[in-house]
């Protein structure tokens, strides 16, 4: 028997996949958008994440195969839509992994006072990071599980320590700066969060929600988990609840101790600038580094397995599902690592542009997967879902329906113009060519070419069988 991830390791993997750089590097972005409403914004984002997490967990009980959104879509709606969701999600996840790797390298360079804009330094650091992740995965699932668990406990420990110390400071010094948030203003002199309209609320919730994403990819590695149809539906919501409590706690503490610092700091690890104590600052910086490394470990586990899942289900050559004697998907990993390295390099590590692909792919999943769960409930899938499933109308229909409605509302109110334009210092607006090209290639050109190739391959196989 090959070693597989148990329930608690799945919980830790989910937490590790969610908590990355954002809560350490830029928690002030949400505060700057919403002012004293920041905790409410994070609570709304947590509710949205919880709704989606329950939906993905419900899908996992119907489909135990790896691939996450790809497997669910294929089971519910057939090969073509499944292939499109799978390939777009795979490309976006690979690029997102490259973005996270870039973030680790640039942050480490900045912490050690090196030039984080130096393309050579970033490239060398990036390749070194990928080499370390390759070595961890080659060592087998057991070793990866240990590294994943330790990195998760490390980042969670750093955040909980920060919350406890922060609350201790407030309680023992009787100093609470939370009310000072009302005196802070934006660049135009308007108080933070003043007179927010629905669009402002939506953008703030989305900004906070991105700190919760990552749970949707965990089931990609279901083939390497013990009883995924039972453990994933319990593990994902539990992980979301833990992360939500940590996020609300850390943002609340930061706003009570030094709201000005969390918004205006120029430090790389923004959260560290809230505290003046050097020991606490060191704990936070170390936690940030562990967190960034940990989320890359998680990405190195589930991203290649999207490609492997497509191979196992016969939509791409089975060669891509080849594993080592330690049960490591070696071919899928090397292809994924190539995309994760080369595409960010092609964009000269411009993180803003290439993150558009990842963002859009998530919204596609957040509509398709809830619809798939409802299809499973009413028994109209393509015969690929598990049949002995305990169905629940609230979990399998009501909550997925709410997920679809919330996603559509967010998409409608989302500021797409900001994603595909660049505002120069003189105020002029230019199209973000890199972002537009990445979206067209990733969501139209490449899937179309691959679908034609797949169709031709299938025809060739049928002709060979006939002969």
């Amino acid at each position: 028997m090959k070693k597989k991830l148990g329930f608690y390791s799945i919980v830790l993997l989910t937490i590790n996949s969610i908590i990355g750089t954002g809560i350490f590097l830029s928690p002030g972005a949400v505060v700057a958008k919403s002012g004293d409403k920041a905790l409410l914004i994070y609570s709304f984002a947590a509710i949205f994440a919880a709704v989606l997490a329950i939906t993905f967990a419900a899908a996992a009980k119907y489909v135990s195969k790896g691939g996450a959104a790809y497997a669910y879509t294929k089971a519910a709606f057939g090969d073509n839509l499944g292939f499109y969701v799978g390939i777009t999600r795979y490309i976006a996840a690979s690029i997102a992994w490259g973005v996270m790797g870039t973030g680790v390298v640039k942050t480490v360079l900045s912490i050690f006072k090196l030039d984080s804009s130096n393309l050579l330094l970033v490239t060398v650091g990036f390749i070194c990071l990928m080499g370390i992740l390759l070595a961890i995965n080659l060592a087998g699932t057991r070793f990866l599980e240990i590294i994943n668990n330790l990195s998760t406990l490390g980042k969670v420990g750093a955040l909980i320590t920060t919350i406890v110390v922060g609350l201790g400071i407030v309680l023992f010094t009787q100093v609470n700066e939370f009310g000072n948030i009302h005196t802070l203003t934006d660049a135009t002199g308007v108080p933070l969060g003043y007179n927010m309209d629905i669009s402002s609320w939506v953008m703030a919730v989305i900004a906070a929600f991105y700190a919760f994403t990552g749970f949707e990819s965990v089931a990609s590695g279901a083939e390497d988990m013990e009883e995924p149809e039972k453990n994933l539906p319990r593990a994902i919501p539990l992980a979301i609840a833990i992360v939500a409590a940590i996020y609300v706690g850390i943002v609340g503490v930061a706003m009570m101790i030094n709201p000005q610092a969390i918004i205006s700091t120029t430090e790389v690890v923004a959260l560290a600038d809230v505290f003046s104590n050097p020991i606490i600052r060191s704990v936070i910086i170390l936690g940030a580094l562990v967190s960034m490394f940990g989320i890359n470990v998680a990405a190195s586990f589930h991203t290649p397995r999207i490609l492997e899942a497509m191979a196992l289900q016969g939509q791409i050559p089975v060669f891509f599902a080849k594993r080592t004697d330690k049960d490591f998907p070696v071919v899928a990993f090397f292809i994924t690592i190539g995309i994760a390295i080369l595409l960010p390099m092609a964009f000269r590590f411009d993180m803003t542009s290439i993150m558009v692909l990842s963002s859009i792919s998530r919204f596609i999943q957040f509509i398709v997967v809830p619809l798939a769960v409802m299809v499973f409930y009413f028994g109209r899938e393509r015969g690929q879902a598990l049949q002995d499933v305990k169905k629940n109308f609230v979990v399998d229909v009501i909550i997925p329906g709410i997920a679809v409605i919330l996603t559509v509302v967010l998409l409608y109110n989302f500021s797409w113009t900001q994603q595909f334009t660049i505002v120069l210092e003189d105020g002029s607006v230019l199209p973000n060519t890199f972002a537009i090209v990445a979206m067209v290639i990733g969501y139209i050109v490449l899937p179309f070419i691959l679908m034609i190739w797949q169709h031709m391959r299938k025809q060739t196989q049928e002709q060979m069988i006939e002969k």
Side-chain angles (χ1 to χ4, degrees), residues 36 49 86 117 194 449:
D36 63 344
S117 63
Y194 178 76
I449 292 173

Side-chain angles (χ1 to χ4, degrees), residues 235-318:
I236 295 177
L238 175 59
I240 287 287
I242 293 171
V243 172
I246 291 173
Y247 282 179
V248 171
I250 203 72
V251 174
V253 163
M255 293 174 69
M256 286 190 290
I257 293 178
N258 195 342
Q260 176 66 54
I262 200 66
I263 294 170
S264 61
T265 181
T266 57
E267 293 292 326
V268 178
V269 183
L271 188 60
D273 211 27
V274 172
F275 297 88
S276 57
N277 186 292
I279 297 177
I280 300 303
R281 290 171 62 90
S282 297
V283 168
I284 294 172
I285 292 172
L286 180 61
L289 292 175
V290 171
S291 180
M292 287 185 284
F293 179 73
I295 201 169
N296 276 270
V297 171
S300 73
F301 173 81
H302 51 63
T303 306
R305 284 164 171 79
I306 302 174
L307 188 66
E308 182 194 31
M310 297 180 71
L312 290 173
Q313 297 202 38
Q315 290 203 290
I316 58 177
V318 71

Side-chain angles (χ1 to χ4, degrees), residues 59-102:
K61 74 182 181 182
Y62 285 101
V63 179
S64 61
K65 294 179 180 179
Y70 158 70
Y72 310 148
T73 305
K74 185 175 182 295
F77 303 112
D79 291 350
N80 290 333
L81 186 56
F83 183 84
Y84 178 80
V85 169
I87 201 65
T88 53
R89 178 59 193 142
Y90 171 69
I91 294 169
S94 300
I95 295 174
W97 182 13
V99 172
M100 290 186 290
T102 302

Side-chain angles (χ1 to χ4, degrees), residues 81-159:
L81 186 56
F83 183 84
Y84 178 80
V85 169
I87 201 65
T88 53
R89 178 59 193 142
Y90 171 69
I91 294 169
S94 300
I95 295 174
W97 182 13
V99 172
M100 290 186 290
T102 302
V104 172
V105 174
K106 286 190 171 185
T107 302
V108 170
L109 291 174
S110 298
I111 289 174
F112 289 98
K113 309 301 180 184
L114 297 173
D115 185 6
S116 62
S117 63
N118 185 302
L119 189 61
L120 178 60
L121 284 177
V122 174
T123 303
V124 171
F126 196 84
I127 294 174
C128 289
L129 172 65
M130 291 301 174
I132 294 171
L133 294 173
L134 172 62
I136 291 173
N137 280 271
L138 282 172
T141 305
R142 175 58 180 165
F143 184 66
L144 183 140
E145 179 183 27
I146 293 171
I147 297 296
N148 172 75
N149 292 352
L150 288 175
S151 61
T152 305
L153 293 173
K155 71 173 74 173
V156 170
L159 289 170

